[in-house]
Amino acid sequence: AASASAVAEQTAELAQARSVLHHAGQKAKYHAGVKSKAFARGRKKRERERREAAREAAAAADPETRKALDEERARARVQERSTLRHNSTSAWARSLKRRGRAATEAERDARRDQAELGRELRKKQEVEEEEEEEEAEEGLVPAKVAAMPFMQRAMADSRAR
């Protein structure tokens, strides 16, 4: 009976050791998947490059696709510039705001120029969006559909007639 209880005790110890090892492995696997910010940025960059390569391949195959992609990039660039770059969100602009009158005249002028450029870009973007909406309203087609290349060709054909 002593040997049977010893065997049961040893079996229980081995089962517990296996369980601890299994859970330690699971935890290590989880932590291996949790990466640093630098890794996440690199992964994001690789993914963006992969998507860009796929877009370029599609554009190389079809000139219409290239034209649509170029227009999309231009619109995205205008929007990005108007919403982020030319606001008072950069470290330089924030430091100028904090310094106020202590900033040199040249720095204040540069800040004013940046703010004016931001206003102009936002105005330009709004005008472009209004023009797209007007074109879409004339044809009673939603703006996003009207912006698609096949709709642009159709509208150009109808104007030519």
Side-chain angles (χ1 to χ4, degrees), residues 4 7 11 57 60 62 68 78 115 130 157:
V7 169
T11 305
D62 182 20
V78 167
E130 287 173 5
D157 290 344

Side-chain angles (χ1 to χ4, degrees), residues 93-113:
R94 288 193 313 265
S95 71
L96 281 181
K97 278 183 166 181
R98 279 194 299 273
R99 289 183 15 213
R101 289 284 174 197
T104 66
E105 188 63 33
E107 289 172 330
R108 288 196 299 267
D109 288 343
R111 171 67 189 102
R112 269 188 239 112
D113 291 345

